[in-house]
Amino acid sequence: MSDAILSRIEEGVLYLSINRADKKNALTLAMYQTLCDELVAADENPEVAVIHLTGSGDSFCAGNDIADFVEASRAGNTKTPALDFLLQLNGQRKPVVVAVNGIAVGIGVTLLLHCDFVYAAKGSMFRMPFVDLGLVPEGGSSVVIPQLVGHRKAAELLLACDAFDADAAEEYGIVNKALAPDQLLATSTDMAKRLAAKPSLALLQAKAMLKANVGQPLEQVIPAEVELFMQHLVSEEASRTLAALFGGKS
């Protein structure tokens, strides 16, 4: 594993930190590959229930290391670990909790759209400057941002490339909560630990349902939910959990 991505597992939580503070945690192709590998391994590792992601220094992520991308393109490198990372994050089976500890630019914002819980330190600034760089929105932002804030506000963020702070990010639904900087990691790690302590199969199924059921007709969702509910009701996990809750009377 590269020193640019720090990793440790503790009490069911995989802690990942983007560790390139001197470059504001801008992501190289190699860093994308490491992050993707870590996420794939986390979904396969029974010792990991939740992923927690943050950045080092005064930044969460300043976006892509453009020089690295240009160099790879000129060298004819067609491998796309950035795409692999985004697809893996969007399809991640286990919950992902993020602590935004400073500036978030480009992919540093759009990756948040695929995570389950996002907390941001007050004073953090967000921006998606793709058009200003002669580029276009990425990471599914052209779909998710309008869903969150409507077309006109999305145009301000993705066409005018307006910056916004942590309080606005909370208002837009991009983050769960804007917090005082000294409360950020305590809050995000507490949530990660809370999730890791929950019945694991039920947690995985509930997240999968949140992803799969968006936009589906309720007349289809309701019976499908009931079927899954009844399946889990007779599972070993539910039996064990209910027995502990009701003192063996389940």
Side-chain angles (χ1 to χ4, degrees), residues 33-126:
Q33 187 64 61
T34 300
L35 284 169
C36 187
D37 291 345
E38 289 281 355
L39 292 179
V40 170
D43 262 359
E44 297 174 350
N45 187 347
E47 295 183 6
V48 173
V50 180
I51 298 96
H52 180 283
L53 175 66
T54 191
S56 60
D58 63 357
S59 305
F60 173 63
C61 175
N64 293 321
D65 185 322
I66 298 298
D68 184 64
F69 275 66
V70 170
E71 181 180 351
S73 178
R74 287 175 175 169
N77 184 358
T78 58
K79 189 177 181 183
T80 55
L83 175 58
D84 293 342
F85 164 74
L86 284 167
L87 291 174
Q88 175 62 35
L89 184 62
N90 179 60
Q92 197 74 24
R93 293 174 55 241
K94 297 177 181 178
V96 181
V97 180
V98 182
V100 179
N101 56 303
I103 65 169
V105 178
I107 187 69
V109 181
T110 60
L111 74 83
L112 304 176
L113 306 176
H114 307 290
C115 300
D116 302 291
F117 296 84
V118 182
Y119 302 96
K122 288 181 178 289
S124 298
M125 293 301 296
F126 301 73

Coordinates of all heavy atoms in Angstrom, one line a residue, residues 33-126:
Q33 N -6.1 3.7 -7.6 CA -6.0 2.2 -7.6 C -5.9 1.7 -6.2 O -6.6 0.7 -5.9 CB -4.7 1.8 -8.4 CG -4.7 0.3 -8.6 CD -5.8 -0.2 -9.5 OE1 -6.0 0.2 -10.6 NE2 -6.6 -1.1 -8.9
T34 N -5.1 2.3 -5.4 CA -5.0 1.9 -4.0 C -6.4 2.0 -3.3 O -6.8 1.1 -2.6 CB -4.0 2.7 -3.2 OG1 -2.7 2.5 -3.8 CG2 -3.9 2.2 -1.8
L35 N -7.1 3.1 -3.4 CA -8.4 3.3 -2.8 C -9.4 2.3 -3.3 O -10.1 1.7 -2.5 CB -8.9 4.7 -3.1 CG -8.3 5.9 -2.3 CD1 -8.7 7.2 -2.9 CD2 -8.7 5.8 -0.9
C36 N -9.4 2.0 -4.6 CA -10.3 1.0 -5.2 C -10.0 -0.4 -4.6 O -10.9 -1.1 -4.2 CB -10.1 1.0 -6.7 SG -11.4 -0.1 -7.5
D37 N -8.7 -0.7 -4.6 CA -8.3 -2.0 -4.0 C -8.7 -2.1 -2.5 O -9.2 -3.2 -2.1 CB -6.8 -2.2 -4.1 CG -6.3 -2.4 -5.5 OD1 -7.1 -2.6 -6.4 OD2 -5.1 -2.2 -5.7
E38 N -8.6 -1.1 -1.8 CA -9.0 -1.1 -0.4 C -10.5 -1.3 -0.2 O -11.0 -2.0 0.6 CB -8.6 0.2 0.3 CG -7.1 0.4 0.5 CD -6.6 -0.4 1.8 OE1 -7.5 -1.0 2.5 OE2 -5.4 -0.4 2.0
L39 N -11.3 -0.6 -1.1 CA -12.7 -0.8 -1.0 C -13.2 -2.2 -1.4 O -14.1 -2.7 -0.8 CB -13.4 0.3 -1.9 CG -13.3 1.7 -1.5 CD1 -13.9 2.7 -2.5 CD2 -13.8 2.0 -0.1
V40 N -12.6 -2.7 -2.5 CA -12.9 -4.1 -2.9 C -12.6 -5.1 -1.8 O -13.4 -5.9 -1.4 CB -12.1 -4.5 -4.2 CG1 -12.3 -6.0 -4.5 CG2 -12.6 -3.6 -5.4
A41 N -11.4 -4.9 -1.2 CA -11.0 -5.8 -0.1 C -12.0 -5.7 1.1 O -12.3 -6.7 1.8 CB -9.6 -5.5 0.3
A42 N -12.4 -4.4 1.4 CA -13.3 -4.2 2.5 C -14.6 -4.9 2.4 O -15.1 -5.5 3.3 CB -13.5 -2.7 2.7
D43 N -15.2 -4.9 1.2 CA -16.4 -5.6 0.9 C -16.3 -7.1 1.1 O -17.3 -7.8 1.4 CB -17.0 -5.3 -0.4 CG -18.0 -4.2 -0.4 OD1 -18.4 -3.7 0.7 OD2 -18.5 -3.8 -1.5
E44 N -15.1 -7.6 0.9 CA -14.9 -9.1 1.0 C -14.4 -9.5 2.3 O -14.3 -10.7 2.6 CB -13.8 -9.5 -0.1 CG -14.3 -9.2 -1.5 CD -13.2 -9.5 -2.6 OE1 -12.1 -9.7 -2.2 OE2 -13.5 -9.5 -3.8
N45 N -14.0 -8.6 3.2 CA -13.4 -8.9 4.5 C -14.4 -8.9 5.6 O -15.0 -7.9 5.9 CB -12.3 -7.8 4.8 CG -11.5 -8.2 6.1 OD1 -11.9 -9.1 6.8 ND2 -10.4 -7.5 6.3
P46 N -14.7 -10.1 6.2 CA -15.7 -10.2 7.3 C -15.3 -9.4 8.5 O -16.2 -9.2 9.3 CB -15.7 -11.7 7.6 CG -14.4 -12.2 7.1 CD -14.0 -11.4 5.9
E47 N -14.1 -9.0 8.6 CA -13.7 -8.2 9.8 C -14.0 -6.7 9.6 O -13.9 -5.9 10.6 CB -12.2 -8.3 10.0 CG -11.7 -9.7 10.4 CD -10.3 -9.8 10.7 OE1 -9.6 -8.8 10.7 OE2 -9.8 -10.9 11.0
V48 N -14.4 -6.3 8.4 CA -14.8 -4.9 8.1 C -16.3 -4.8 8.0 O -16.9 -5.5 7.2 CB -14.1 -4.4 6.9 CG1 -14.6 -3.0 6.5 CG2 -12.6 -4.4 7.1
A49 N -16.9 -3.9 8.7 CA -18.3 -3.7 8.6 C -18.6 -2.3 8.0 O -19.7 -2.1 7.3 CB -19.0 -3.7 10.0
V50 N -17.7 -1.4 8.2 CA -17.9 0.0 7.7 C -16.6 0.6 7.3 O -15.5 0.2 7.7 CB -18.5 0.9 8.9 CG1 -18.7 2.3 8.5 CG2 -19.7 0.3 9.5
I51 N -16.7 1.5 6.3 CA -15.5 2.2 5.8 C -15.6 3.7 6.3 O -16.7 4.3 6.2 CB -15.4 2.2 4.3 CG1 -15.2 0.7 3.8 CG2 -14.2 3.0 3.8 CD1 -16.5 0.1 3.4
H52 N -14.5 4.2 6.8 CA -14.4 5.6 7.2 C -13.3 6.3 6.4 O -12.2 5.8 6.4 CB -14.1 5.7 8.7 CG -14.0 7.1 9.2 ND1 -12.9 7.9 9.1 CD2 -14.9 7.9 9.9 CE1 -13.1 9.1 9.6 NE2 -14.3 9.1 10.2
L53 N -13.6 7.4 5.7 CA -12.6 8.1 4.9 C -12.5 9.5 5.3 O -13.5 10.2 5.5 CB -13.1 8.0 3.4 CG -12.3 8.8 2.4 CD1 -10.9 8.2 2.2 CD2 -13.0 8.8 1.0
T54 N -11.2 10.0 5.3 CA -11.0 11.4 5.6 C -9.7 11.8 4.9 O -9.1 11.0 4.2 CB -10.9 11.7 7.1 OG1 -10.9 13.1 7.3 CG2 -9.7 11.1 7.7
G55 N -9.2 13.0 5.0 CA -8.0 13.5 4.4 C -7.0 14.0 5.5 O -7.4 14.1 6.7
S56 N -5.8 14.2 5.1 CA -4.8 14.7 6.1 C -4.6 16.2 5.9 O -4.9 16.8 4.9 CB -3.5 13.9 5.8 OG -3.0 14.2 4.5
G57 N -4.0 16.8 6.9 CA -3.7 18.2 6.8 C -4.9 19.1 6.8 O -5.9 18.7 7.5
D58 N -4.9 20.2 6.1 CA -6.0 21.1 6.0 C -7.0 20.9 4.9 O -7.8 21.7 4.6 CB -5.5 22.5 6.0 CG -4.7 22.9 4.8 OD1 -4.5 22.0 3.9 OD2 -4.2 24.0 4.7
S59 N -6.8 19.7 4.2 CA -7.6 19.5 3.0 C -8.2 18.1 3.1 O -7.6 17.1 3.6 CB -6.8 19.6 1.7 OG -6.2 20.8 1.7
F60 N -9.4 18.0 2.5 CA -10.0 16.6 2.3 C -9.4 16.1 1.0 O -8.7 15.1 0.9 CB -11.5 16.7 2.2 CG -12.1 15.4 1.8 CD1 -12.0 14.2 2.6 CD2 -12.9 15.2 0.7 CE1 -12.5 13.0 2.2 CE2 -13.4 14.0 0.3 CZ -13.2 12.9 1.1
C61 N -9.7 16.8 -0.1 CA -9.2 16.3 -1.4 C -9.3 17.5 -2.4 O -10.5 18.0 -2.6 CB -9.9 15.1 -2.0 SG -9.4 14.6 -3.6
A62 N -8.2 17.9 -3.0 CA -8.2 19.0 -4.0 C -8.5 18.6 -5.4 O -8.2 19.3 -6.3 CB -6.9 19.8 -3.9
G63 N -9.0 17.4 -5.6 CA -9.4 16.9 -6.9 C -8.3 16.0 -7.5 O -7.5 15.4 -6.8
N64 N -8.3 15.9 -8.8 CA -7.3 15.1 -9.5 C -6.0 15.8 -9.6 O -5.9 17.0 -9.8 CB -7.8 14.7 -10.9 CG -9.0 13.8 -10.9 OD1 -9.1 12.9 -10.1 ND2 -10.0 14.1 -11.8
D65 N -4.9 15.0 -9.6 CA -3.6 15.5 -10.0 C -3.6 15.6 -11.5 O -3.3 14.6 -12.1 CB -2.5 14.6 -9.4 CG -1.1 15.1 -9.6 OD1 -0.9 15.7 -10.7 OD2 -0.3 15.0 -8.7
I66 N -3.9 16.7 -12.1 CA -4.1 16.8 -13.5 C -2.8 16.5 -14.2 O -2.8 15.8 -15.3 CB -4.5 18.2 -13.9 CG1 -5.9 18.5 -13.2 CG2 -4.6 18.4 -15.4 CD1 -7.0 17.6 -13.7
A67 N -1.6 16.9 -13.7 CA -0.4 16.6 -14.4 C -0.2 15.1 -14.5 O 0.3 14.6 -15.5 CB 0.8 17.2 -13.6
D68 N -0.5 14.3 -13.5 CA -0.4 12.9 -13.5 C -1.3 12.3 -14.6 O -0.9 11.4 -15.3 CB -0.8 12.3 -12.1 CG -0.6 10.8 -12.1 OD1 0.6 10.3 -12.2 OD2 -1.6 10.1 -11.9
F69 N -2.5 12.8 -14.7 CA -3.5 12.3 -15.7 C -3.0 12.6 -17.1 O -3.1 11.8 -18.0 CB -4.9 12.9 -15.4 CG -5.7 12.2 -14.4 CD1 -5.3 12.1 -13.1 CD2 -6.9 11.5 -14.8 CE1 -6.1 11.5 -12.2 CE2 -7.6 10.9 -13.9 CZ -7.2 10.8 -12.6
V70 N -2.5 13.9 -17.3 CA -2.0 14.3 -18.6 C -0.8 13.4 -19.0 O -0.7 12.9 -20.2 CB -1.6 15.7 -18.6 CG1 -0.9 16.1 -19.9 CG2 -2.9 16.6 -18.5
E71 N 0.1 13.2 -18.1 CA 1.3 12.4 -18.4 C 0.9 10.9 -18.8 O 1.4 10.4 -19.7 CB 2.2 12.3 -17.2 CG 3.5 11.5 -17.4 CD 4.4 11.5 -16.2 OE1 4.1 12.3 -15.2 OE2 5.3 10.7 -16.1
A72 N -0.1 10.4 -18.0 CA -0.5 9.0 -18.3 C -1.2 9.0 -19.7 O -1.0 8.0 -20.5 CB -1.5 8.5 -17.3
S73 N -2.0 10.0 -20.0 CA -2.6 10.1 -21.3 C -1.6 10.1 -22.5 O -1.8 9.4 -23.5 CB -3.6 11.2 -21.4 OG -4.2 11.3 -22.6
R74 N -0.6 11.0 -22.3 CA 0.4 11.1 -23.3 C 1.2 9.8 -23.5 O 1.7 9.5 -24.6 CB 1.3 12.3 -23.0 CG 0.7 13.6 -23.2 CD 1.6 14.8 -22.7 NE 1.0 16.1 -23.0 CZ 1.4 17.2 -22.5 NH1 2.5 17.2 -21.7 NH2 0.8 18.4 -22.8
A75 N 1.3 9.1 -22.4 CA 2.1 7.8 -22.5 C 1.2 6.7 -23.1 O 1.7 5.5 -23.2 CB 2.6 7.4 -21.1
G76 N 0.0 7.0 -23.4 CA -0.9 6.0 -24.0 C -1.5 5.1 -22.9 O -2.0 4.0 -23.3
N77 N -1.5 5.5 -21.7 CA -2.1 4.7 -20.6 C -3.6 4.8 -20.6 O -4.2 5.9 -20.3 CB -1.5 5.1 -19.2 CG -2.0 4.2 -18.1 OD1 -2.8 3.3 -18.3 ND2 -1.5 4.5 -16.9
T78 N -4.3 3.8 -21.0 CA -5.8 3.8 -21.1 C -6.5 3.2 -19.9 O -7.7 3.2 -19.8 CB -6.2 3.1 -22.4 OG1 -5.8 1.7 -22.3 CG2 -5.7 3.7 -23.6
K79 N -5.7 2.7 -18.9 CA -6.3 2.2 -17.7 C -6.9 3.3 -16.9 O -6.4 4.4 -16.8 CB -5.2 1.5 -16.8 CG -5.8 0.7 -15.7 CD -4.6 0.0 -14.9 CE -5.2 -0.8 -13.8 NZ -4.2 -1.5 -12.9
T80 N -8.1 3.0 -16.4 CA -8.9 4.1 -15.7 C -9.2 3.7 -14.3 O -10.3 3.4 -13.9 CB -10.2 4.3 -16.5 OG1 -10.9 3.1 -16.6 CG2 -9.9 4.9 -17.8
P81 N -8.2 3.7 -13.4 CA -8.5 3.4 -12.0 C -9.4 4.4 -11.3 O -10.1 4.1 -10.4 CB -7.1 3.4 -11.3 CG -6.2 4.2 -12.2 CD -6.8 4.0 -13.6
A82 N -9.5 5.6 -11.9 CA -10.4 6.6 -11.3 C -11.9 6.2 -11.6 O -12.7 6.2 -10.7 CB -10.2 8.0 -12.0
L83 N -12.1 5.7 -12.8 CA -13.5 5.1 -13.1 C -13.8 3.9 -12.2 O -14.9 3.7 -11.7 CB -13.6 4.8 -14.6 CG -14.9 4.1 -15.0 CD1 -16.1 4.9 -14.7 CD2 -14.8 3.8 -16.5
D84 N -12.8 3.0 -12.1 CA -12.9 1.8 -11.3 C -13.3 2.2 -9.8 O -14.2 1.6 -9.2 CB -11.7 1.0 -11.3 CG -11.4 0.4 -12.6 OD1 -12.3 0.3 -13.5 OD2 -10.2 0.0 -12.9
F85 N -12.6 3.2 -9.3 CA -12.9 3.7 -8.0 C -14.3 4.2 -7.8 O -15.0 3.8 -6.9 CB -11.9 4.8 -7.6 CG -12.2 5.6 -6.4 CD1 -12.1 5.0 -5.1 CD2 -12.7 6.9 -6.5 CE1 -12.5 5.8 -4.0 CE2 -13.1 7.6 -5.4 CZ -13.0 7.1 -4.1
L86 N -14.7 5.0 -8.7 CA -16.1 5.6 -8.7 C -17.1 4.6 -8.8 O -18.1 4.6 -8.0 CB -16.3 6.7 -9.7 CG -15.6 8.0 -9.5 CD1 -15.6 8.8 -10.8 CD2 -16.2 8.8 -8.4
L87 N -17.0 3.6 -9.7 CA -18.0 2.5 -9.8 C -18.0 1.7 -8.6 O -19.1 1.2 -8.1 CB -17.7 1.7 -11.0 CG -17.9 2.4 -12.4 CD1 -17.4 1.5 -13.5 CD2 -19.3 2.8 -12.6
Q88 N -16.8 1.4 -8.0 CA -16.8 0.6 -6.8 C -17.4 1.3 -5.6 O -18.2 0.7 -4.9 CB -15.3 0.3 -6.4 CG -15.1 -0.5 -5.1 CD -15.8 -1.8 -5.1 OE1 -15.8 -2.5 -6.1 NE2 -16.3 -2.2 -3.9
L89 N -17.1 2.6 -5.5 CA -17.7 3.4 -4.4 C -19.2 3.4 -4.5 O -20.0 3.3 -3.5 CB -17.1 4.8 -4.4 CG -17.6 5.7 -3.3 CD1 -17.1 5.2 -1.9 CD2 -17.0 7.1 -3.5
N90 N -19.7 3.6 -5.7 CA -21.2 3.7 -6.0 C -21.8 2.4 -5.6 O -23.0 2.3 -5.1 CB -21.5 4.1 -7.4 CG -23.0 4.1 -7.7 OD1 -23.7 4.9 -7.1 ND2 -23.4 3.3 -8.6
G91 N -21.1 1.3 -5.9 CA -21.7 -0.1 -5.6 C -21.2 -0.7 -4.3 O -21.5 -1.9 -4.1
Q92 N -20.5 0.1 -3.5 CA -20.0 -0.4 -2.2 C -21.1 -1.1 -1.4 O -22.1 -0.4 -1.1 CB -19.3 0.7 -1.4 CG -18.4 0.1 -0.3 CD -17.1 -0.5 -0.9 OE1 -16.7 -0.1 -2.0 NE2 -16.5 -1.3 -0.1
R93 N -21.0 -2.3 -1.0 CA -22.0 -3.0 -0.2 C -22.1 -2.5 1.2 O -23.1 -2.4 1.8 CB -21.8 -4.5 -0.3 CG -21.9 -5.1 -1.6 CD -21.5 -6.6 -1.6 NE -22.3 -7.4 -0.6 CZ -21.7 -8.0 0.4 NH1 -20.4 -8.0 0.6 NH2 -22.5 -8.7 1.3
K94 N -20.9 -2.2 1.8 CA -20.8 -1.8 3.2 C -20.9 -0.3 3.3 O -20.4 0.4 2.4 CB -19.6 -2.4 3.8 CG -19.6 -3.9 3.8 CD -18.3 -4.5 4.4 CE -18.4 -6.0 4.3 NZ -17.2 -6.7 4.8
P95 N -21.5 0.2 4.4 CA -21.6 1.7 4.5 C -20.3 2.4 4.5 O -19.3 1.9 5.0 CB -22.3 1.8 5.9 CG -23.0 0.5 6.1 CD -22.1 -0.5 5.5
V96 N -20.3 3.6 3.9 CA -19.2 4.5 3.9 C -19.5 5.8 4.6 O -20.5 6.5 4.3 CB -18.8 4.8 2.4 CG1 -17.5 5.7 2.4 CG2 -18.5 3.5 1.7
V97 N -18.6 6.1 5.6 CA -18.7 7.4 6.3 C -17.5 8.3 6.0 O -16.4 7.8 6.0 CB -18.7 7.1 7.9 CG1 -18.9 8.4 8.7 CG2 -19.9 6.1 8.2
V98 N -17.8 9.6 5.7 CA -16.7 10.5 5.3 C -16.7 11.7 6.3 O -17.7 12.2 6.7 CB -16.9 11.0 3.9 CG1 -15.8 11.9 3.5 CG2 -17.0 9.8 2.9
A99 N -15.4 12.1 6.6 CA -15.2 13.3 7.4 C -14.4 14.2 6.4 O -13.3 14.0 6.1 CB -14.4 13.0 8.6
V100 N -15.1 15.3 6.0 CA -14.5 16.3 5.1 C -13.8 17.4 6.1 O -14.5 18.2 6.7 CB -15.5 17.0 4.2 CG1 -14.9 18.1 3.4 CG2 -16.2 15.9 3.4
N101 N -12.5 17.3 6.1 CA -11.7 18.1 7.1 C -11.2 19.4 6.5 O -10.4 20.0 7.2 CB -10.6 17.2 7.6 CG -9.7 16.7 6.5 OD1 -10.2 16.0 5.6 ND2 -8.4 17.0 6.6
G102 N -11.5 19.8 5.3 CA -11.0 21.0 4.7 C -11.5 21.1 3.3 O -12.6 20.6 2.9
I103 N -10.7 21.7 2.4 CA -11.2 22.0 1.0 C -11.5 20.7 0.3 O -10.8 19.7 0.5 CB -10.2 22.8 0.2 CG1 -8.9 22.1 0.0 CG2 -10.0 24.2 0.9 CD1 -8.0 22.7 -1.0
A104 N -12.6 20.7 -0.5 CA -13.0 19.6 -1.3 C -13.3 20.2 -2.7 O -14.2 21.0 -2.9 CB -14.2 18.9 -0.8
V105 N -12.5 19.7 -3.7 CA -12.6 20.2 -5.1 C -12.8 19.1 -6.0 O -12.2 18.0 -5.9 CB -11.4 21.1 -5.4 CG1 -11.4 21.6 -6.9 CG2 -11.2 22.2 -4.5
G106 N -13.6 19.3 -7.0 CA -13.8 18.3 -8.1 C -14.2 16.9 -7.6 O -15.3 16.8 -6.9
I107 N -13.4 15.9 -7.8 CA -13.7 14.6 -7.3 C -13.8 14.6 -5.8 O -14.5 13.7 -5.2 CB -12.6 13.6 -7.8 CG1 -13.0 12.1 -7.4 CG2 -11.3 13.9 -7.2 CD1 -14.2 11.6 -8.2
G108 N -13.2 15.5 -5.1 CA -13.3 15.6 -3.7 C -14.7 16.0 -3.2 O -15.1 15.7 -2.1
V109 N -15.5 16.5 -4.2 CA -17.0 16.7 -3.9 C -17.8 15.6 -4.5 O -18.6 15.0 -3.8 CB -17.5 18.1 -4.5 CG1 -18.9 18.3 -4.3 CG2 -16.6 19.2 -4.0
T110 N -17.5 15.2 -5.7 CA -18.4 14.2 -6.4 C -18.3 12.8 -5.8 O -19.3 12.1 -5.8 CB -18.1 14.2 -7.9 OG1 -16.8 13.7 -8.1 CG2 -18.3 15.5 -8.6
L111 N -17.2 12.5 -5.2 CA -17.2 11.2 -4.5 C -18.1 11.1 -3.3 O -18.6 10.0 -3.0 CB -15.7 10.8 -4.1 CG -15.1 11.5 -2.9 CD1 -15.4 10.8 -1.6 CD2 -13.5 11.4 -3.1
L112 N -18.4 12.3 -2.7 CA -19.3 12.3 -1.6 C -20.7 11.9 -1.9 O -21.4 11.4 -1.1 CB -19.3 13.7 -1.0 CG -18.0 14.3 -0.6 CD1 -18.2 15.8 -0.1 CD2 -17.3 13.5 0.5
L113 N -21.0 12.1 -3.2 CA -22.4 11.8 -3.7 C -22.7 10.3 -3.6 O -23.9 9.9 -3.6 CB -22.6 12.3 -5.1 CG -22.3 13.8 -5.3 CD1 -22.4 14.1 -6.8 CD2 -23.1 14.7 -4.5
H114 N -21.7 9.5 -3.4 CA -21.9 8.0 -3.4 C -21.7 7.4 -2.0 O -21.7 6.2 -1.9 CB -21.0 7.4 -4.4 CG -21.1 8.0 -5.8 ND1 -22.2 7.8 -6.6 CD2 -20.3 8.8 -6.5 CE1 -22.0 8.5 -7.7 NE2 -20.9 9.1 -7.7
C115 N -21.5 8.2 -1.0 CA -21.2 7.8 0.3 C -22.5 7.9 1.1 O -23.5 8.6 0.8 CB -20.1 8.6 1.0 SG -18.6 8.4 0.0
D116 N -22.6 7.2 2.3 CA -23.8 7.1 3.0 C -23.9 8.1 4.1 O -25.0 8.6 4.4 CB -23.9 5.7 3.7 CG -23.8 4.6 2.6 OD1 -24.8 4.4 1.8 OD2 -22.7 3.9 2.5
F117 N -22.8 8.5 4.7 CA -22.8 9.5 5.8 C -21.7 10.4 5.5 O -20.5 10.0 5.3 CB -22.7 8.9 7.2 CG -23.8 8.1 7.6 CD1 -23.9 6.7 7.2 CD2 -24.9 8.6 8.4 CE1 -25.0 5.9 7.6 CE2 -25.9 7.8 8.8 CZ -26.0 6.5 8.4
V118 N -21.9 11.8 5.4 CA -20.8 12.7 5.2 C -21.0 13.8 6.2 O -22.0 14.5 6.3 CB -20.9 13.3 3.8 CG1 -19.7 14.3 3.5 CG2 -20.9 12.2 2.7
Y119 N -19.9 14.1 6.9 CA -19.8 15.2 7.9 C -18.7 16.1 7.4 O -17.7 15.7 6.9 CB -19.5 14.7 9.3 CG -20.6 13.7 9.7 CD1 -20.4 12.3 9.6 CD2 -21.8 14.1 10.3 CE1 -21.3 11.4 10.0 CE2 -22.8 13.2 10.7 CZ -22.5 11.9 10.5 OH -23.5 11.0 10.9
A120 N -18.9 17.4 7.6 CA -17.9 18.4 7.1 C -17.6 19.4 8.2 O -18.5 19.9 9.0 CB -18.4 19.1 5.9
A121 N -16.4 19.8 8.3 CA -15.9 20.8 9.3 C -16.4 22.2 8.8 O -16.2 22.5 7.6 CB -14.4 20.8 9.5
K122 N -17.0 23.0 9.7 CA -17.3 24.4 9.3 C -16.0 25.1 8.9 O -14.9 24.9 9.5 CB -17.9 25.1 10.4 CG -19.4 24.7 10.7 CD -20.0 25.4 11.9 CE -21.4 25.0 12.1 NZ -22.3 25.5 11.1
G123 N -16.0 25.8 7.8 CA -14.8 26.4 7.2 C -14.4 25.7 6.0 O -13.6 26.2 5.2
S124 N -14.8 24.4 5.8 CA -14.5 23.7 4.6 C -15.2 24.4 3.4 O -16.3 24.8 3.5 CB -14.9 22.2 4.7 OG -14.3 21.6 5.8
M125 N -14.5 24.4 2.3 CA -15.0 25.0 1.1 C -15.1 23.9 0.0 O -14.2 23.1 -0.1 CB -14.2 26.2 0.6 CG -14.2 27.4 1.5 SD -15.9 28.0 1.8 CE -16.3 28.6 0.1
F126 N -16.2 24.0 -0.8 CA -16.5 23.0 -1.8 C -16.6 23.7 -3.1 O -17.1 24.8 -3.2 CB -17.8 22.3 -1.5 CG -17.9 21.5 -0.2 CD1 -18.0 22.2 1.0 CD2 -17.9 20.2 -0.2 CE1 -18.1 21.6 2.2 CE2 -17.9 19.5 1.0 CZ -18.0 20.2 2.2

